[in-house]
Structure formats: structure tokens, C-alpha cells
Amino acid sequence: MRLSIERKPVRINPDPKRVIARFFFIGNDRAKELIMRVMGISEETVFGIISPLLQEYSKRHRNITRILDRNCSKLKPLFNELKIDYKKLTVYRKLLIGTYFTHEYSIESAAFFNPSIVEDPDQTELQEGNKRVIISFRAVGEGHISSITFRRALLDKDNNITVLPAGNYIDEAEIVRNEVYNRKLFFEKAAVNHTNIALLKELEAKLDPHFEYSTLRKAIMESENLNDSHFKKLEYDQVLWLADSYYEISFSFDTDISDRVIFPISEFESKGIEDARFVKFKNDDELCYYATYTAYDGALIMPKLLQTTDFYTFKMMPLYGEGAQNKNLALFPRKINGKYAMISRIDGCNNYIMYSDKINIWEKPVMLQQPKFTWEFIQIGNCGSPIETEDGWIVITHGVGPMRRYVLGASLLKLDDPSIEIGRLKEPLLIPNSDEREGYVPNVLYSCGSIVHNGKLIIPYGVSDSSSAFAQVDLDELITKLKEDGVE
């Protein structure tokens, strides 16, 4: 039996016109010189410059005046050093100063790939057989910095996919810091990230078993005042960066899903938020959405977890434990035998499975799969959260073989004990065809999550790390083939 795979005639490409306005800083000395230059021009000149700028950029950003005012306000310490009364500045001068400390960043100028797909929380006013879905993407811009972006799409009764047009504006979220930290877990994570042990013990002794961000920051500032070593200061900063990895973000309710971008915020993710694997999670009668993703600072990677119920407010936190290492973590969509379950690839080569009473602590990973076939000899990993069927858990996998070609495969795990593999495709499910081989990273197909609709498994996938496409396979045929191929 040979599986029939249907590629959909839909391709989502990066759009360099989708930009966000970000704070642009050039260092204290140059910034103060620049402020003084703007302070030296007349109010008439200020208005003559800012007026056309506002007209031009209001067409590109939802509220450009709010952005410019916010960026100017970030310079208040410098105004104090310059003996300038910030409150006495005119609105137009503040906005003009803000323009010099703002730049546009094209979030998907380089690539738009590695999608995952989940059911939209809103399924109202749909015809029978249709489903509204949210697709997340890894968007890559200047400097290869990755962020998470979204699109809404509609699956009709015939499984045709219509991706709705993106909005005209992109919004970054407001950051909320109200996290209470568990001292034991926090400092264990800091130790894993190679922070100085003596320094950690010093700070740990100053904090309660549960503490807030402001308390940690105060303890660090007090310690820095006692030590003027530049190297020590960097180590203290590392601890604060870890605290910055816990945060909540919130988007305005007047934004479309396509307007929202989760851009790197903490220092530990300063070089990118990579490959979010979203899953709709059911715990008793409660529903929420989780996503595992990889935070990258240019040297270290940190597995993290995102949680939301409405795709407006998101809570981010690091994952802890022996099993929360490396990339490729994917959460099962419900508890199994009373425990959370996760697939991971802690050694970069093999798939592991692990269970936990707490969703952010993962210990004792157990080997689940090793490379078996030639097309996965380099590594095997998951392509998103397992999909529950009556016959078992379907896991879409990726395999890396000759010429570092990434292909998609599939496995079937036992329903009540997913540590047992029932079947694995002997041949790839999907390989790059001639139209999919070229891109930012050639010869790569990759997915971060699939969905079942009307008896078909819909697989969104990244095309050579450049754009995204869709394929589908009949669910029953796939299960039959997985059982037929077995686990020799």
C-alpha cells in the first residue's frame, strides 16, 4: 500500500512590508549629543519636520504618535543628566526626539516558515463541516532574529484552505511583570545556564522561598554596589536576564490575530524565538493553548513554555529539569494516566518521552525512538504535538538524512502508554520536491504541528526555511499504513 499525499495550492510567502517600529538606541554619549541637537532648533522647525513624518508613518503603524512618545520617554534619565525639564517639552518636540530613537524592523523580510496549526477559540457562525484555525509561523527578519506571528485560516467541508489576508498594521504587546518566582527552581535553572555558583548562593541567601522581580532586582543592585568588577556585573546581569524570561504580554483587543507579533523580549531570547509548537490542551473541563518554543541568545538555548486562552494575553516561562534541554519539545494535548506528557530530543539525535506532575518541570526522559531508516540516520525529531486517534497517538516526525535533507515521517504510539511505538513509516511521508528544494536553507521540509479535519490530517510545513505550504493525507489510510509497517 502506498500513501497518497495531496499538496494544497496555497503558499504563504514572507512580506517585507510588514514592519514594527522599535526603540533604536546609539549609546548614552551619542544619544545626549543627538538630544541637544534637536533641542537647538526652533519650535517652528520642529513642527515642519514632525508634521509630514506623522502623516507618512501613520499609514504604516496603528498609533505612531504613541510609539514615538513612548520611545522618547525612555530617555528621561538622559534628560535629567542634561538638566532638561522633560515636562516642559512640547508635544511636537517629544515626538521629533522619538523619531530619532525609532527604527522600522521588517519581521518577515527573510523568511516565513515552520508553521503549527490549532483550532481557533472562536468557531461561531460557520457552515457545517467548516473549521476556523489559527496558524503560527516563525518569521525571520534582519539579523536572523525570529519571532512568532499568526494568520487566521478557514478549512471548508472539502478541506480547501483559505488563509485570510493579513492586516495593515503589526503590534507588539505590552509587557506585564507580575511573576512570583520559586527560589529553588529559579536558582537551579540559573546553575544550568552556567552562572557563577558562589554568586547564586549569595543572592539566594537574600531572598524568600517565593520572591518577586522587584525584590530580585533590588538584591542584585545592592550586590553590584558592593562590587565594581565588570565581569561580576555581567554575571549579575545573567541572573536578571533569567528573571526577564518570565513575563506576560498583552495585545489590544482591537487587533486582528495577524496584527500580533511575539517579538523577543528577554535577553535570553534576544537572538530569536524559534519553532513554536502550539497545542490545544484539555485538562478536565478547562481548555487552554500551550506552545513550547526555543529561546536563543546567540550562544545558549532555553526551552520555554507559552500559555494563552484567547491569543490576546500570553504567559511565558522557562522549562526546568533534565528533560528540558536542547530543542524539539512537544506537549501531548491532555494528561495521560494523570500526568502531563512531553516528547523531547535532549541529545539532538533521538526522541525521548517524559511525564510530569507539573507542566514546567521535566525529569527522567526515556528513550522513545532512534534513527532507523537511511533518511533519518542523522536525527529523528517531532514535528509538533501528538494527535490523538482511537488507534493511538500519531506523531509527525522529521528525519535528517544524506545531504542534510529534512523530510517528514510519521509514527504511531500506544494510546494509554505512548512510550510504546506501534508503527513507523518505512518511507518518508513528504520529501522536498523540485519546487521546494530552494530557499534560505535548501532541501528542508519542517512542521511544528498538524490538525485533523473531516477525516484528513492537514500538515502545514515550512519550505526550505523560506515560506510555508500545506499537505494532507487521509487519516485512516495513514493509520493502516503505520500498522502495516509496524516496528521491526
Side-chain angles (χ1 to χ4, degrees), residues 353-379:
I353 191 167
M354 48 196 174
Y355 303 92
S356 178
D357 293 319
K358 296 183 178 180
I359 199 165
N360 63 328
I361 303 174
W362 296 94
E363 302 286 3
K364 299 178 181 178
V366 175
M367 180 80 74
L368 176 65
Q369 294 175 306
Q370 295 175 293
K372 181 187 298 185
F373 306 111
T374 57
W375 46 273
E376 59 185 16
F377 269 7
I378 293 177
Q379 74 186 49

Side-chain angles (χ1 to χ4, degrees), residues 231-356:
F231 182 71
K232 284 283 186 182
K233 184 178 184 304
L234 290 177
E235 291 181 328
Y236 283 119
D237 284 345
Q238 276 192 327
V239 179
L240 201 57
W241 293 344
L242 177 59
D244 282 341
S245 295
Y246 300 79
Y247 57 88
E248 290 184 17
I249 57 175
S250 180
F251 292 94
S252 171
F253 286 127
D254 64 356
T255 57
D256 180 69
I257 186 72
S258 65
D259 296 340
R260 302 166 213 157
V261 56
I262 302 177
F263 199 82
I265 292 173
S266 76
E267 189 65 29
F268 267 112
E269 59 192 29
S270 59
K271 294 300 181 182
I273 296 174
E274 301 179 356
D275 300 341
R277 287 161 160 78
F278 277 85
V279 61
K280 181 179 178 181
F281 189 90
K282 184 174 183 180
N283 187 12
D284 297 326
D285 294 328
E286 296 181 3
L287 287 174
C288 70
Y289 295 84
Y290 289 108
T292 53
Y293 68 92
T294 303
Y296 180 56
D297 70 354
L300 298 173
I301 60 173
M302 177 188 288
K304 295 186 68 175
L305 185 71
L306 170 159
Q307 179 182 356
T308 185
T309 57
D310 56 9
F311 288 85
Y312 285 101
T313 300
F314 299 82
K315 181 177 181 179
M316 276 76 167
M317 68 187 82
L319 294 174
Y320 297 93
E322 179 190 358
Q325 308 296 324
N326 215 303
K327 301 182 177 184
N328 240 219
L329 280 76
L331 185 69
F332 281 73
R334 64 169 174 83
K335 289 184 177 181
I336 300 173
N337 300 320
K339 293 182 179 291
Y340 295 102
M342 183 94 80
I343 294 178
S344 67
R345 201 189 71 221
I346 60 173
D347 58 9
C349 180
N350 308 291
N351 267 334
Y352 291 75
I353 191 167
M354 48 196 174
Y355 303 92
S356 178

Side-chain angles (χ1 to χ4, degrees), residues 60-345:
R60 296 168 65 85
H61 303 279
R62 185 183 305 276
N63 193 336
I64 189 63
T65 55
R66 178 178 60 84
I67 295 170
L68 298 179
D69 183 68
R70 180 186 64 201
N71 288 350
C72 182
S73 70
K74 292 179 179 180
L75 306 169
K76 285 181 180 179
L78 299 185
F79 283 103
N80 291 334
E81 291 180 25
L82 293 168
K83 309 299 183 184
I84 297 172
D85 189 343
Y86 185 80
K87 294 180 181 179
K88 292 184 178 180
L89 295 178
T90 64
V91 171
Y92 293 120
R93 195 175 294 271
K94 288 179 181 178
L95 294 177
L96 182 58
I97 292 172
T99 66
Y100 287 102
F101 292 88
T102 303
H103 74 122
E104 287 190 327
Y105 183 91
S106 178
I107 61 170
E108 54 189 73
S109 58
F112 200 65
F113 61 111
N114 291 4
S116 74
I117 185 171
V118 290
E119 183 178 299
D120 193 316
D122 179 13
Q123 295 295 318
T124 60
E125 300 181 1
L126 291 177
Q127 295 181 2
E128 186 176 352
N130 291 2
K131 180 178 289 185
R132 192 177 289 120
V133 295
I134 291 175
I135 310 170
S136 69
F137 299 88
R138 177 179 171 185
V140 177
E142 177 187 351
H144 196 76
I145 296 176
S146 302
S147 56
I148 302 173
T149 60
F150 303 96
R151 294 288 192 276
R152 182 170 275 115
L154 184 69
L155 300 173
D156 71 13
K157 59 184 178 62
D158 299 315
N159 280 14
N160 297 309
I161 301 173
T162 302
V163 180
L164 303 184
N168 294 325
Y169 303 105
I170 302 179
D171 272 16
E172 286 190 86
E174 295 294 329
I175 305 169
V176 181
R177 297 202 184 279
N178 56 4
E179 184 67 38
V180 175
Y181 307 93
N182 179 302
R183 185 178 63 188
K184 180 177 182 294
L185 293 178
F186 181 86
F187 284 97
E188 283 179 358
K189 190 67 173 182
V192 169
N193 284 288
H194 311 295
T195 306
N196 183 292
I197 299 298
L199 180 148
L200 294 179
K201 289 182 177 179
E202 172 205 339
L203 288 175
E204 189 173 3
K206 297 179 179 180
L207 297 167
D208 294 331
H210 292 87
F211 61 91
E212 295 181 347
Y213 180 85
S214 59
T215 309
L216 174 66
R217 185 175 181 84
K218 181 180 178 181
I220 289 175
M221 296 303 292
E222 290 174 351
S223 297
E224 287 179 341
N225 290 335
L226 298 174
N227 195 315
D228 58 0
S229 164
H230 176 68
F231 182 71
K232 284 283 186 182
K233 184 178 184 304
L234 290 177
E235 291 181 328
Y236 283 119
D237 284 345
Q238 276 192 327
V239 179
L240 201 57
W241 293 344
L242 177 59
D244 282 341
S245 295
Y246 300 79
Y247 57 88
E248 290 184 17
I249 57 175
S250 180
F251 292 94
S252 171
F253 286 127
D254 64 356
T255 57
D256 180 69
I257 186 72
S258 65
D259 296 340
R260 302 166 213 157
V261 56
I262 302 177
F263 199 82
I265 292 173
S266 76
E267 189 65 29
F268 267 112
E269 59 192 29
S270 59
K271 294 300 181 182
I273 296 174
E274 301 179 356
D275 300 341
R277 287 161 160 78
F278 277 85
V279 61
K280 181 179 178 181
F281 189 90
K282 184 174 183 180
N283 187 12
D284 297 326
D285 294 328
E286 296 181 3
L287 287 174
C288 70
Y289 295 84
Y290 289 108
T292 53
Y293 68 92
T294 303
Y296 180 56
D297 70 354
L300 298 173
I301 60 173
M302 177 188 288
K304 295 186 68 175
L305 185 71
L306 170 159
Q307 179 182 356
T308 185
T309 57
D310 56 9
F311 288 85
Y312 285 101
T313 300
F314 299 82
K315 181 177 181 179
M316 276 76 167
M317 68 187 82
L319 294 174
Y320 297 93
E322 179 190 358
Q325 308 296 324
N326 215 303
K327 301 182 177 184
N328 240 219
L329 280 76
L331 185 69
F332 281 73
R334 64 169 174 83
K335 289 184 177 181
I336 300 173
N337 300 320
K339 293 182 179 291
Y340 295 102
M342 183 94 80
I343 294 178
S344 67
R345 201 189 71 221

